[in-house]
Amino acid sequence: MANGSSPAAALNVTSSQPHRAQILENPLRTYLLGIIISICGNVLISISLNIQKYAHVRQSQRGSKPYYTSGVWWCGVALMGLGELGNFAAYGFAPASLVAPLGCVSVIASAVLSVVFLKETVRASDIVGGTLAITGTYVLVNFAPHTTIHITALLVQYYVMNWHFLLYLALEMILFCILLYLYKMRKMKHIIIVMLLVALLASLTVISVKAVSGMITESITGQLQLIYPIFYIMVVVMIASCAFQIKFLNQAMKMFDATEVVPINFVFFTTSAVVAGIVFYEEFEELALLNIFMFLLGCLLSFLGVFLIARNRPKIKLQNPNCISMDKIPRRSHTDKVQPEAQTYGSLAAKLMCNTAGQTDDT
């Protein structure tokens, strides 16, 4: 009788609390695999960014062909795709609230590689910021949720229908509409407004990416999940949110300096991803209060480290291939003040004059 009633009791537990039945028994190996994949992916992204930047500088100096004809640039693009694929896979093995903060690894690696590839100088803020970011990452890894969940289609459907997620989604949509109204209709081009739009979209991106990655992983290692409509719904949400996120992020890069966009985007994106993991995937449900406090402390250290690294980064000025640098003209002592006269050269003056904005007088 005891053996016969046990499956029925287990079935009742599974029906009433389907998310409990999907939790693994603290699979440390799977958890560490997600961390390693995420770190490797972020390092590849930082390498690709520096390679692409190097290709832009080299092509601008040569002034012969567009940057997209360079094999070095395409190599950087390939590494970028590989790194993003690694981040995508990491969501299938580790909690979303941990994978997102590990993005600071990309900032640290980029600062180191820029010294090697682009010959940028090492500043005191780089050393302090790198130390804080590494310390924060170590704290994050140790105190983040260590519970891994089998992401199945039925589990994703269960999470989608939770009342707290529906409330969170409604509040997010209302806030997004308000910010979009201020940005588009009232022409308020403040960096906080633009980056909040990116962060709100990033929240949906993190939720959908982890759902898609988890269902693909479960389909490979366990039961096929690609036959459920929720999988394709999440794919559409992932693509749409990524596309609009990139759109607003590019607009922010056009309007503001990268030293402002990079740290603010990292802070907002990480916060959005952590909140999404808490609300949708309930990753902090059984986490001790000390772990929560230390996790937030690790996030704070990472935020501060990224801010110090990105602050006042040296800029590389690209030479316009259609300009003749005025300091190349012989017998000119104050070349920054010399320009071709428009009356003589007509429309050719625009092609011959270099932009001297930001230069100071030597006299």
Side-chain angles (χ1 to χ4, degrees):
M1 291 296 292
N3 293 337
S5 61
S6 179
L11 182 60
N12 291 333
V13 172
T14 304
S15 300
S16 60
Q17 292 181 330
H19 61 297
R20 297 290 186 187
Q22 302 295 336
I23 297 178
L24 300 177
E25 296 79 10
N26 191 18
L28 184 60
R29 186 166 58 183
T30 303
Y31 175 80
L32 291 177
L33 179 61
I35 294 175
I36 294 172
I37 292 175
S38 177
I39 291 176
C40 292
N42 284 302
V43 170
L44 286 177
I45 290 173
S46 64
I47 293 174
S48 71
L49 290 174
N50 280 273
I51 289 177
Q52 292 180 63
K53 190 173 181 180
Y54 171 77
H56 280 291
V57 173
R58 191 179 68 169
Q59 291 297 109
S60 177
Q61 290 174 348
R62 293 180 178 180
S64 55
K65 297 180 180 179
Y67 64 90
Y68 51 80
T69 61
S70 171
V72 176
W73 184 82
W74 282 108
C75 180
V77 172
L79 288 177
M80 172 73 76
L82 190 61
E84 292 293 352
L85 184 62
N87 271 335
F88 175 81
Y91 280 101
F93 297 98
S97 56
L98 175 61
V99 175
L102 288 177
C104 67
V105 174
S106 178
V107 180
I108 299 171
S110 182
V112 174
L113 292 172
S114 63
V115 175
V116 177
F117 283 104
L118 304 174
K119 308 302 180 182
E120 294 184 3
T121 56
V122 180
R123 305 168 302 162
S125 59
D126 294 333
I127 299 175
V128 176
T131 303
L132 289 174
I134 292 173
T135 304
T137 303
Y138 176 79
V139 174
L140 283 171
V141 172
N142 278 275
F143 292 96
H146 288 192
T147 303
T148 305
I149 302 175
H150 278 309
I151 302 297
T152 63
L154 295 179
L155 183 63
V156 174
Q157 292 178 5
Y158 170 81
Y159 283 145
V160 168
M161 298 306 298
N162 269 345
W163 68 267
H164 46 78
F165 170 70
L166 295 177
L167 178 61
Y168 169 77
L169 183 62
L171 293 175
E172 188 176 77
M173 292 177 63
I174 293 173
L175 181 58
F176 184 85
C177 291
I178 294 174
L179 292 172
L180 191 62
Y181 170 77
L182 295 176
Y183 178 69
K184 291 290 187 180
M185 305 302 295
R186 302 299 298 271
K187 305 300 180 181
M188 297 178 63
K189 306 296 183 180
H190 197 278
I191 187 171
I192 298 298
I193 294 178
V194 183
M195 301 315 298
L196 279 175
L197 289 170
V198 175
L200 292 175
L201 291 168
S203 178
L204 296 178
T205 302
V206 169
I207 291 173
S208 57
V209 164
K210 183 170 177 60
V212 172
S213 177
M215 283 188 278
I216 291 176
T217 303
E218 184 66 19
S219 298
I220 296 174
T221 59
Q223 186 179 2
L224 183 64
Q225 304 294 315
L226 308 186
I227 58 176
Y228 295 93
I230 190 66
F231 172 79
Y232 300 97
I233 293 175
M234 285 296 175
V235 169
V236 172
V237 173
M238 178 182 67
I239 295 174
S241 60
C242 281
F244 284 103
Q245 185 181 342
I246 293 172
K247 175 185 176 181
F248 285 115
L249 190 57
N250 284 332
Q251 291 179 3
M253 292 296 290
K254 289 180 181 179
M255 293 186 294
F256 309 101
D257 193 81
T259 57
E260 297 176 293
V261 175
V262 170
I264 294 177
N265 180 59
F266 174 72
V267 172
F268 283 10
F269 173 83
T270 302
T271 304
S272 178
V274 171
V275 173
I278 294 173
V279 174
F280 189 83
Y281 292 103
E282 303 175 1
E283 293 176 346
F284 281 21
E285 189 175 11
E286 296 182 354
L287 203 62
L289 186 61
L290 176 62
N291 288 56
I292 295 175
F293 174 78
M294 294 302 295
F295 178 84
L296 296 177
L297 177 62
C299 288
L300 182 61
L301 291 175
S302 299
F303 294 164
L304 184 58
V306 170
F307 173 78
L308 291 176
I309 293 174
R311 184 174 62 93
N312 297 328
R313 294 298 303 174
K315 301 176 183 178
I316 295 181
K317 296 182 179 180
L318 301 181
Q319 180 68 40
N320 189 343
N322 295 323
C323 293
I324 298 176
S325 182
M326 302 308 295
D327 58 1
K328 301 301 181 181
I329 300 179
R331 299 179 182 177
R332 295 289 187 183
S333 58
H334 303 290
T335 57
D336 59 331
K337 296 298 183 181
V338 179
Q339 294 181 350
E341 295 193 10
Q343 294 90 340
T344 306
Y345 294 96
S347 60
L348 289 177
K351 298 182 180 180
L352 294 175
M353 287 189 295
C354 293
N355 184 12
T356 58
Q359 295 179 348
T360 58
D361 194 353
D362 296 335
T363 57

